[in-house]
Amino acid sequence: MDTELTAQSWVALTIFAATVAVCIRPVTFKVPVNLTSNKSKPARTLTLSLATAPPLAILILLAAQTASLEDLKYGIIGGDGAIVPYSILLLVLSLALLCIGIDETGLFRAVAWKVANRKKADARGLFRDFFLLSTVLTVLTSNDVVVLTVTPILIYFTKGAKLDPVPYLISGFWVCNIASMALYIGNPSNVIVAQANNINVLEYTKLMGLPTLVALLIAYGASLALFWRRIPAQMESPSLDAAEYVISDVFGAWFGSILLGISLILLMTMPLFVDVAVWVLTLPFALLLLLRVLLLDLISLRETRHQVKVSVEIPPVHNSSASAATPDASNDQLVNQDNETSLLNSATALKDQMARFPRTTSILSRLPYNLIPFNLGMFILVETLTSRGWTSLLARGLAAVSYSRASTILAIGGIATLACNALNNLPMTILFSRALAHPLYLRGVAAFTGDVARRQKEAQFALVVGSNLGANVLFMGSLAGIMWVDLVVTRWKVEGITQGRFLAWCLFVTPFVLLGACGALIGEMSVEGF
């Protein structure tokens, strides 16, 4: 692998930096080309964002011969065998499908209704209770699961109780990215570090328990202080229509919850006995849930074949271009009109078919598809940076700050936290894992300590801390952040949450949480036997 930087190395870094900037702040362009005959239609727009910027960057790098097809291949399937990017993405999407399927049954709404209708409820006490609920669920499941399950509960609850949703949503998001440090399955980035360095579940849990507890205590105090004035001492008993908050599919709620539970148990236990791809332990259960929903739609379709109501109606388009055209109308105009009619008819037919399978369509439409181009794109960009020598440079830099136990954990934990928000936590974790295993890092550390393996272990667990807490800075810091903002801002239209405000709140809490977690890790690593 090249260790010297070349002109292509700098081209790759420049394109990568521009991609990150666009992901943080999307840019919209007007496309001047009008492909239809209707000149009165507004100009088309193109938005460069999380979903579009990374694929475009890859095309540019391929055209400039800065990225190769090998980079493309290894960015998807992994180049060292230990880290398989597509496997991690399938894991996240599988868990998302399971959680969305459970939400469609009405289970989360029912839970919110029961909580919101507690008599003489204390809003600050409920803040504490939801903090604890998110903590327990994250420890037992994962941060992605909690984002997809607890977030709807918080939205339903605050809406019904007429409370400011921001304190509950922000603290709930923070805690799921802190408690996710505790166990191996808590965050896909934990899986990457563990698999890349052959860390088993028991060793991981032994080391990350105390840092997680310290970080949670600091986060609770800091978030309560930050939002104290926005959380009333008492709240009014909400007046909710119970009919809107019942479980519409009781069997489906049980079925989905059991499937989710089995998949999470397998994620916890199977790596202890056999080397298996993580997606194999989740995707079959997600597909089983989807199959059940599809069968329900087929049964309903058969029973009400002639009574299906299309959820989205488009007025029928009559092809009257021939009669409406004047004798001197050009053939190009007629062709364009026919093309427009064909497109509209195709769209209508597609929506008609989707309306025939309402349950299946509802679940599939809620999946975070923008994660696919974003993360695969970032994985490939990271692979390109690696092939152009940047991993070697990173390895030397990380070795330079690893001159003591404290410097290793504090520096790498802090650098990884910041890097999450330039790379996203999963690509960042892959890049840093490779750097920490690089010969240049090992040789550099050998100059400071005789126990290189111990120092490398300290760096690896500092990376775990940073890859989790990095989500609590910018939305794009983690997959959980991208899914969370899609739920809260895009789907539910919660007001008062912007990237700037989110960053300001995070800067009040995350630095203290990071110092606490790293401090606890330093203390543990100072004790022989850890």
Side-chain angles (χ1 to χ4, degrees):
M1 183 178 296
D2 294 335
T3 57
E4 296 296 328
L5 299 182
T6 65
Q8 287 186 324
S9 302
W10 291 101
V11 170
L13 184 63
T14 301
I15 296 297
F16 174 77
T19 303
V20 171
V22 171
C23 287
I24 295 174
R25 192 175 184 84
V27 178
T28 300
F29 299 95
K30 287 186 177 181
V31 181
V33 179
N34 194 334
L35 301 178
T36 69
S37 61
N38 190 347
K39 303 302 181 181
S40 63
K41 288 186 176 181
R44 296 173 182 267
T45 59
L46 173 65
T47 299
L48 294 180
S49 60
L50 287 170
T52 56
L56 179 60
I58 293 168
L59 291 176
I60 294 173
L61 290 174
L62 287 172
Q65 297 186 337
T66 299
S68 65
L69 294 178
E70 194 173 66
D71 294 330
L72 198 68
K73 172 186 174 183
Y74 291 142
I76 297 173
I77 67 173
D80 51 14
I83 302 173
V84 184
Y86 78 85
S87 179
I88 302 299
L89 187 57
L90 284 176
L91 167 66
V92 174
L93 291 174
S94 300
L95 292 175
L97 197 153
L98 284 167
C99 294
I100 291 169
I102 296 171
D103 184 41
E104 287 288 319
T105 68
L107 177 62
F108 302 146
R109 291 192 300 273
V111 172
W113 185 84
K114 288 181 180 289
V115 173
N117 277 275
R118 292 189 345 185
K119 300 299 182 181
K120 298 180 180 179
D122 174 7
R124 289 171 183 165
L126 286 172
F127 179 87
R128 178 199 61 232
D129 292 346
F130 276 122
F131 192 95
L132 291 173
L133 174 65
S134 297
T135 298
V136 172
L137 289 179
T138 303
V139 170
L140 296 177
T141 59
S142 74
N143 64 336
D144 297 319
V145 170
V146 173
V147 162
L148 292 166
T149 56
V150 176
T151 301
I153 293 175
L154 293 174
I155 293 174
Y156 293 132
F157 159 71
T158 53
K159 179 182 178 182
K162 299 178 181 178
L163 290 172
D164 181 357
V166 171
Y168 297 89
L169 290 171
I170 296 295
S171 64
F173 178 73
W174 283 339
V175 70
C176 76
N177 292 309
I178 299 171
S180 59
M181 294 190 295
L183 296 181
Y184 172 89
I185 64 169
N187 193 323
S189 64
N190 303 345
V191 178
I192 293 174
V193 175
Q195 289 186 341
N197 300 284
N198 296 316
I199 300 171
N200 64 48
V201 174
L202 298 179
E203 180 184 9
Y204 179 94
T205 305
K206 178 183 71 172
L207 267 172
M208 291 310 301
L210 181 60
T212 302
L213 177 60
V214 171
L216 284 169
L217 291 173
I218 295 173
Y220 176 72
S223 59
L224 190 60
L226 178 64
F227 294 119
W228 182 262
R229 294 184 178 180
R230 301 182 68 165
I231 307 172
Q234 297 291 328
M235 70 177 205
E236 299 178 5
S237 295
S239 177
L240 298 176
D241 183 2
E244 296 181 4
Y245 292 85
V246 298
I247 300 177
S248 58
D249 182 2
V250 176
F251 179 81
W254 277 105
F255 184 73
S257 299
I258 290 172
L259 289 179
L260 178 61
I262 293 174
S263 65
L264 293 172
I265 290 172
L266 289 176
L267 281 172
M268 278 291 295
T269 57
M270 288 299 290
L272 288 172
F273 307 105
V274 63
D275 183 18
V276 59
V278 289
W279 67 269
V280 175
L281 305 176
T282 55
L283 184 59
F285 298 101
L287 294 178
L288 188 58
L289 181 144
L290 190 63
L291 177 61
R292 175 186 177 269
V293 173
L294 180 59
L295 288 175
L296 289 176
D297 279 337
L298 287 172
I299 293 172
S300 298
L301 180 62
R302 184 175 181 179
E303 293 176 349
T304 61
R305 180 173 296 274
H306 301 295
Q307 300 176 0
V308 173
K309 296 182 179 179
V310 179
S311 58
V312 179
E313 296 182 357
I314 296 179
V317 178
H318 301 286
N319 187 0
S320 58
S321 57
S323 59
T326 59
D328 59 345
S330 68
N331 289 332
D332 288 342
Q333 287 177 317
L334 294 176
V335 169
N336 284 333
Q337 290 173 359
D338 287 340
N339 288 339
E340 290 181 46
T341 301
S342 177
L343 288 173
L344 285 173
N345 287 335
S346 299
T348 303
L350 177 61
K351 290 182 178 180
D352 285 348
Q353 291 299 320
M354 291 171 62
R356 296 173 184 269
F357 302 92
R359 299 178 184 88
T360 307
T361 299
S362 181
I363 291 176
L364 293 179
S365 65
R366 291 178 57 186
L367 282 173
Y369 294 107
N370 58 341
L371 294 183
I372 300 174
F374 171 71
N375 265 275
L376 288 181
M378 295 302 287
F379 287 140
I380 295 168
L381 289 174
V382 164
E383 189 66 35
T384 302
L385 293 177
T386 297
S387 67
R388 294 303 171 188
W390 288 105
T391 300
S392 303
L393 184 64
L394 177 62
R396 286 195 291 263
L398 295 180
V401 300
S402 299
Y403 54 85
S404 69
R405 178 178 296 112
S407 70
T408 300
I409 293 174
L410 288 171
I412 293 180
I415 293 170
T417 299
L418 295 175
C420 282
N421 297 279
L423 296 164
N424 183 263
N425 66 334
L426 300 189
M428 182 282 299
T429 305
I430 291 177
L431 179 62
F432 275 56
S433 293
R434 289 175 177 171
L436 294 177
H438 200 284
L440 289 176
Y441 177 78
L442 301 178
R443 286 201 298 266
V445 167
F448 302 121
T449 178
D451 193 348
V452 174
R454 180 77 171 181
R455 186 57 48 83
Q456 186 185 35
K457 182 178 179 181
E458 294 163 356
Q460 290 163 354
F461 280 93
L463 175 58
V464 170
V465 173
S467 68
N468 283 267
L469 298 186
N472 292 343
V473 179
L474 295 175
F475 295 145
M476 68 164 284
S478 69
L479 292 187
I482 296 171
M483 291 189 291
W484 182 82
V485 75
D486 183 65
L487 270 175
V488 172
V489 178
T490 306
R491 176 174 172 79
W492 291 100
K493 311 294 184 186
V494 175
E495 297 181 355
I497 297 178
T498 64
Q499 180 66 90
R501 290 176 181 173
F502 181 79
L503 175 60
W505 294 325
C506 289
L507 291 179
F508 183 84
V509 174
T510 301
F512 301 105
V513 174
L514 176 62
L515 287 174
C518 288
L521 188 58
I522 291 170
E524 285 184 328
M525 297 302 292
S526 300
V527 178
E528 289 295 330
F530 270 96

